[in-house]
Amino acid sequence: MLSNADLLRCVQAATVLACSAVPERQGAAYGIAACAADLDRQDLPGLAGILRIVLTRMGNFPALASAPHVEEFRRLPTLPALAEEIRRDGNRITVGKEPIDLTDFQRHLWQDLDDGQNVSVSAPTSAGKSFVLQAHLRSLAQSGRLTVACYIVPSRALIAQVTDAVAKWRRSDALRGFQIVNVPLPAETTLPERAIYVLTQERLQAIMGAHPGFAADVVISDEAQGIEDGSRGVLLQGVIDQLIAKRPKAQFIFAGPNIRDPGVFGKIFDVGELRQVSTRSPAVLQNLIVVNTRSPLRKLAVEKVLDGMRHPLGETEIGMNLPSVKERLIRVAERFGRSKPSIVYANGPADAEKVALGLKEVSTTDASEDPRIVELISLVRSAVHDRYDLVECLKRRVGFHYGRIPALVRRNVEAAFADGDIQYLVTTSTLIQGVNFPAANLFVCKPKKGQRDPLTAAEFWNLAGRAGRLGREFQGNIFLIDYDEWDTKPANQGNEVDVQSALSRTLANEFDAVIDCALEANPLRETNKAINIEAAFGRLLSDLGTGRIQTTLDRCDVPKPDQARIVVALETARSQIDLPTTVLAKSPTVSPIRQQRLATYLESEVRDGGVKRLEELLPRHPRDPDAYKSLCEVFRVCHEQLMSLQVPRLHLRMAAIALKWMRGEQLPAIIDKNHTYEKDKPIATVIRETLQDIEEDIRFKYFRLSICYLSVFEHILISNGYPEYASSLTALPSYLEVGASDPTMISFVGLGLSRYVASALTELTIDKGMDETRALAWLRAQDLDAVLSSRLMRADVDRALANAPIE
């Protein structure tokens, strides 16, 4: 037990170390302060004041909120109190009507942003980067200096988080005429004059394809390390390059965690001067704790990792063998995560559900009568399925979370965990993509992204950053279970990572494959690896057409002899492609060779079959009586011509699910229908697979394929004298993405309602053709308490109304 005298000597040392500019010394100072604050010795005279001095000398004012007894301490001697006020004044900004105290790092970032500089920012996950980026947009909008901003994020979950944050301050600041756009807008929809677009790169590409004139004054790429992510990274680079070309003087901001050289984005993108803002100083202390479970004596041995060395903390009885990863996660989390909110990392949705069910079994908590949990369970039953495993888990204050779960359920699970109503949350790699959960503990055992690939060092440290959040906790604990048995040792590699664009990496490691791709007349089956290579090929072919090929190859450090080889291959490919560049550009992650094969097939079918065959190939509106038949044919052609995929009847199955989805049917009905065809499978498996069908296939794969199909088919129709059919093409990609095809339901979703609530409200309306303005007026005129029986559904509507543009 640390004596009071020794504790005071430690924190006095921290007051000296806090004055240093050396990150390691600042880290030591913060570590002492964090541990001292968590010792629960508020009655020790002078301790709160000394801790306050340490944190304010470090410029870490937001951390004061983590300990009320420190934040509320007001009896500092005159000189330290004066020094604090001077320091605070230097770190204080006013946004809206609110004074905000920043860390030193946040203040430096703010200054460069406010000066209008292009900025590349790197900091630990918990340093508050995104908070400053959003505050910058708020300041620009409030002062009238912003017309259009584009905020690019890697996932739909982050779209929801950023949208809610922006909408909150838009309402608070009474900003009129500013819209938030977070879904693809079809060509017939006029873009708002003033707006903040919060989009993934796929949604941004869809908007830019439908609206070639789209440009932005400010472009933020949050989680910009996603530029490494295969075909999605190539697409991210492509859309940003297009935005640069359209408005070179716009402000471009790249943000990512622990990037060793944040200036790398200046090499990847031609944005002129790029200010670099980075910090390694801790905003939250994160403790690495190794837990060894392999003792034959059935004990857990616990060690703390400090400066690369392990220091024993002790042993505890476990009383059983733990042979599987699942059992280790459950038992270690149950032993060390009882007192504070804890995240448990699982490698995939199936694993997450199994671990959550295990935690439910060992939990002694009964929340089945808790009103909030009861409401959440009711929502899960009606929005997903009454036999979804999440129902039983919630009764024990255990939840699970992955990207396929419907947005409304996922959002309410997140909120319940943040408020402490859920004690354990089992989550997958969604957590790596920047989703913000406040947690005191994180439990990890042999972590992978999916079932095969171990986490990279960058992914591990991004994950570890979820333990402890600025302004909530002083420190977080990352429990590394049986670390010596992991396939890789990411924690040994340090938390600084190198970033290389997916395009550069593909050209460095798969150069010959890219050339083969350009020369391949009849591509084989489209695998994940093939998509990444073909995305690089498509980008280079586009650059050949625009005259940027030399610049791109130089930026990717391709040697001159190899540049000559690939240019010859690209020119050969171009000579075999008749499609205009404008058509190819609408589907940048689909090989131009595959697009040409589709065009050749469609042209032959239309030419030989005439109007009859043309109408068979024409996608019908989901409400059309022939919609299923036409969608089956569209999917069959996409499988055959774009994917080289020969799986009998797959197009029939996926068309059936997609049609129900686009007609607005609720998930329980879709799941039950699938279960009738697969009765031998457990219902949990059918639920999980149906969610995967919708979130990963329909809303991503078929969304991507349908954009390509329609853009190529439109070109063929116009070229062959059928412009009236081209003008009648449905907005199939939007229907697939949104999960709706009635204008009223689409408008409800566009206003920010979840699909589940939008579908329920659409059933109550007579007018299925409302645009957003009329749909908003209809919502405001309703007695929502009478219309909606669920408080969580009502809260979803209230949130959308609060986020709606001010009249």
Side-chain angles (χ1 to χ4, degrees):
M1 175 67 70
L2 186 68
S3 70
N4 287 346
D6 287 341
L7 174 59
L8 288 175
R9 279 194 291 271
C10 286
V11 294
Q12 286 168 350
T15 64
V16 178
L17 293 169
C19 298
S20 173
V22 178
E24 290 77 11
R25 294 174 182 172
Q26 285 207 342
Y30 185 83
I32 294 171
C35 292
D38 284 347
L39 285 176
D40 196 26
R41 298 192 190 176
Q42 290 94 323
D43 57 344
L44 183 61
L47 179 60
I50 296 176
L51 293 179
R52 188 179 184 97
I53 291 172
V54 172
L55 293 172
T56 56
R57 283 183 176 179
M58 294 178 67
N60 194 348
F61 295 97
L64 293 172
S66 303
H69 68 287
V70 176
E71 185 178 33
E72 295 165 5
F73 187 84
R74 294 289 184 272
R75 301 192 305 276
L76 287 178
T78 301
L79 288 180
L82 182 61
E84 176 186 323
E85 286 308 306
I86 293 172
R87 193 82 156 80
R88 184 188 298 275
D89 186 62
N91 279 32
R92 175 167 287 176
I93 63 172
T94 301
V95 180
K97 299 176 182 178
E98 305 174 35
I100 300 173
D101 295 334
L102 303 177
T103 65
D104 284 357
F105 155 72
Q106 289 176 317
R107 178 61 182 178
H108 293 153
L109 174 58
W110 172 265
Q111 288 172 337
D112 282 341
L113 293 174
D114 199 45
D115 288 343
Q117 301 292 327
N118 297 324
V119 175
S120 179
V121 53
S122 169
T125 300
S126 55
K129 302 181 295 295
S130 297
F131 174 81
V132 178
L133 298 182
Q134 293 167 26
H136 175 55
L137 288 183
R138 182 180 183 181
S139 177
L140 292 176
Q142 187 187 52
S143 63
R145 292 178 288 163
L146 182 66
T147 303
V148 174
C150 186
Y151 198 116
I152 309 171
V153 295
S155 68
R156 285 191 287 266
L158 267 179
I159 285 178
Q161 284 194 358
V162 175
T163 296
D164 286 348
V166 172
K168 183 177 180 180
W169 57 252
R170 182 184 63 177
R171 170 68 56 174
S172 175
D173 294 350
L175 290 173
R176 299 182 182 277
F178 245 109
Q179 294 192 35
I180 302 172
V181 179
N182 56 21
V183 295
L185 300 180
E188 59 269 19
T189 301
T190 302
L191 297 182
E193 292 184 5
R194 303 175 70 207
I196 295 175
Y197 291 77
V198 185
L199 305 161
T200 60
Q201 54 263 50
E202 288 82 12
R203 293 187 182 187
L204 175 56
Q205 171 62 34
I207 284 182
M208 295 175 75
H211 301 273
F214 176 82
D217 308 313
V218 178
V219 177
I220 297 173
S221 179
D222 205 353
E223 303 294 325
Q225 74 280 4
I227 201 167
E228 295 190 300
D229 188 14
S231 62
R232 297 196 74 214
V234 174
L235 179 59
L236 177 59
Q237 184 174 350
V239 294
I240 293 175
D241 276 333
Q242 290 179 60
L243 291 172
I244 293 170
K246 290 178 179 181
R247 196 162 291 175
K249 294 186 178 180
Q251 184 179 31
F252 291 89
I253 303 160
F254 306 94
N258 301 316
I259 297 172
R260 191 186 314 278
D261 176 19
V264 67
F265 296 104
K267 180 180 179 182
I268 295 171
F269 298 106
D270 184 15
V271 293
E273 182 182 357
L274 185 68
R275 294 279 183 90
Q276 300 176 36
V277 182
S278 62
T279 183
R280 298 293 175 262
S281 297
V284 174
L285 180 65
Q286 289 165 331
N287 304 307
L288 292 179
I289 300 171
V290 173
V291 180
N292 298 303
T293 73
R294 313 307 290 151
S295 168
L297 301 179
R298 298 180 177 182
K299 293 182 178 182
L300 301 180
V302 185
E303 302 170 304
K304 182 173 181 179
V305 181
L306 190 62
D307 297 328
M309 303 293 291
R310 295 191 190 178
H311 304 271
L313 296 179
E315 292 183 338
T316 182
E317 297 283 346
I318 194 66
M320 64 191 74
N321 293 321
L322 303 176
S324 70
V325 168
K326 182 186 81 170
E327 290 169 287
R328 298 176 205 179
L329 284 169
I330 292 167
R331 291 298 178 178
V332 174
E334 188 268 339
R335 178 60 57 90
F336 297 112
R338 298 171 184 168
S339 59
K340 291 187 177 181
S342 297
I343 290 173
V344 182
Y345 182 82
N347 293 336
D351 289 342
E353 293 177 12
K354 291 174 183 176
V355 171
L357 287 169
L359 285 167
K360 180 208 75 169
E361 291 297 322
V362 302
S363 173
T364 59
T365 302
D366 182 6
S368 57
E369 302 299 323
D370 184 319
R372 181 170 188 177
I373 295 298
V374 170
E375 285 183 328
L376 184 51
I377 288 172
S378 177
L379 174 66
V380 172
R381 290 183 188 275
S382 56
V384 184
H385 199 272
D386 58 4
R387 295 173 65 188
Y388 195 29
D389 285 336
L390 185 57
V391 169
E392 295 303 316
C393 291
L394 287 171
K395 293 176 182 179
R396 295 290 183 176
R397 299 198 189 280
V398 176
F400 55 78
H401 179 290
Y402 46 80
R404 302 170 190 169
I405 295 176
L408 182 61
V409 173
R410 194 173 62 234
R411 186 182 298 125
N412 278 283
V413 167
E414 293 168 4
F417 179 71
D419 293 342
D421 294 296
I422 292 176
Q423 181 180 4
Y424 292 102
L425 187 65
V426 189
T427 185
T428 64
S429 58
T430 305
L431 203 62
I432 299 173
Q433 297 179 324
V435 177
N436 184 5
F437 292 141
N441 304 308
L442 170 67
F443 296 90
V444 192
C445 184
K446 296 185 177 180
K448 297 179 181 179
K449 193 174 182 180
Q451 295 300 322
R452 300 175 62 183
D453 300 323
L455 295 188
T456 65
E459 291 166 339
F460 169 80
W461 286 111
N462 202 1
L463 174 65
R466 308 303 160 185
R469 304 298 301 183
L470 182 61
R472 284 182 175 263
E473 298 96 16
F474 279 113
Q475 56 187 322
N477 301 314
I478 302 99
F479 291 87
L480 311 178
I481 303 172
D482 294 322
Y483 183 67
D484 294 330
E485 296 183 5
W486 291 18
D487 295 332
T488 59
K489 302 294 187 292
N492 294 359
Q493 299 179 40
N495 63 357
E496 290 188 326
V497 297
D498 295 310
V499 170
Q500 183 183 26
S501 73
L503 181 60
S504 293
R505 180 181 290 109
T506 300
L507 290 174
N509 300 333
E510 303 285 352
F511 185 80
D512 289 338
V514 176
I515 289 183
D516 291 343
C517 178
L519 300 177
E520 175 60 64
N522 192 28
L524 300 177
R525 181 169 178 171
E526 189 187 63
T527 62
N528 288 336
K529 181 177 180 181
I531 291 173
N532 294 339
I533 293 170
E534 290 174 358
F537 159 57
R539 167 61 194 265
L540 296 178
L541 191 67
S542 173
D543 287 343
L544 181 71
T546 59
R548 286 182 47 86
I549 187 65
Q550 186 72 51
T551 299
T552 298
L553 294 175
D554 286 343
R555 285 183 174 273
C556 292
D557 294 325
V558 177
K560 293 298 181 182
D562 285 340
Q563 289 190 20
R565 286 178 59 205
I566 202 162
V567 167
V568 169
L570 292 169
E571 289 174 341
T572 301
R574 185 67 227 182
S575 69
Q576 306 299 316
I577 296 173
D578 298 326
L579 285 171
T581 301
T582 52
V583 174
L584 297 174
K586 292 182 179 181
S587 304
T589 62
V590 179
S591 165
I593 303 294
R594 296 183 190 273
Q595 293 193 52
Q596 181 60 51
R597 184 169 65 185
L598 173 63
T600 301
Y601 172 83
L602 292 175
E603 186 162 38
S604 173
E605 294 292 293
V606 170
R607 185 180 61 246
D608 296 341
V611 171
K612 183 176 184 300
R613 179 59 177 148
L614 182 158
E615 292 184 349
E616 292 174 350
L617 294 164
L618 197 72
R620 303 300 181 96
H621 189 279
R623 295 291 184 190
D624 190 290
D626 293 327
Y628 176 66
K629 183 178 178 181
S630 73
L631 192 62
C632 287
E633 184 63 0
V634 170
F635 283 4
R636 183 195 68 78
V637 172
C638 287
H639 287 179
E640 181 182 285
Q641 302 300 324
L642 293 178
M643 300 179 69
S644 303
L645 182 64
Q646 301 292 335
V647 179
R649 303 185 63 81
L650 178 61
H651 61 290
L652 305 179
R653 176 179 180 275
M654 295 310 301
I657 297 173
L659 196 58
K660 292 182 178 68
W661 173 251
M662 291 188 291
R663 286 175 173 171
E665 292 188 26
Q666 298 287 20
L667 276 173
I670 299 175
I671 290 167
D672 284 337
K673 189 67 174 179
N674 285 352
H675 199 211
T676 62
Y677 295 118
E678 300 179 291
K679 292 181 179 179
D680 294 338
K681 288 186 177 180
I683 186 64
T685 302
V686 175
I687 293 172
R688 195 164 51 247
E689 289 180 351
T690 302
L691 294 177
Q692 178 177 346
D693 288 338
I694 290 171
E695 292 298 322
E696 295 186 10
D697 290 336
I698 291 171
R699 300 187 73 184
F700 185 77
K701 181 192 296 181
Y702 288 94
F703 171 78
R704 166 179 170 267
L705 294 174
S706 65
I707 288 176
C708 183
Y709 182 92
L710 288 183
S711 63
V712 172
F713 196 26
E714 180 183 31
H715 171 73
I716 294 302
L717 291 172
I718 294 172
S719 300
N720 286 271
Y722 297 102
E724 68 279 10
Y725 282 98
S727 62
S728 70
L729 289 171
T730 64
L732 180 60
S734 293
Y735 300 157
L736 292 169
E737 162 70 12
V738 174
S741 53
D742 290 327
T744 294
M745 185 171 170
I746 293 172
S747 295
F748 283 149
V749 173
L751 289 170
L753 290 175
S754 67
R755 178 185 179 275
Y756 169 68
V757 174
S759 176
L761 290 174
T762 302
E763 289 296 316
L764 300 174
T765 64
I766 300 297
D767 185 356
K768 309 298 185 187
M770 290 190 283
D771 60 15
E772 284 194 16
T773 301
R774 289 160 55 203
L776 180 59
W778 184 90
L779 275 179
R780 286 172 169 159
Q782 301 308 302
D783 179 356
L784 294 174
D785 290 328
V787 170
L788 298 172
S789 58
S790 165
R791 186 187 67 84
L792 297 181
M793 293 175 71
R794 170 62 192 267
D796 192 51
V797 178
D798 289 341
R799 182 183 58 82
L801 290 175
N803 292 354
I806 299 172
E807 295 178 323

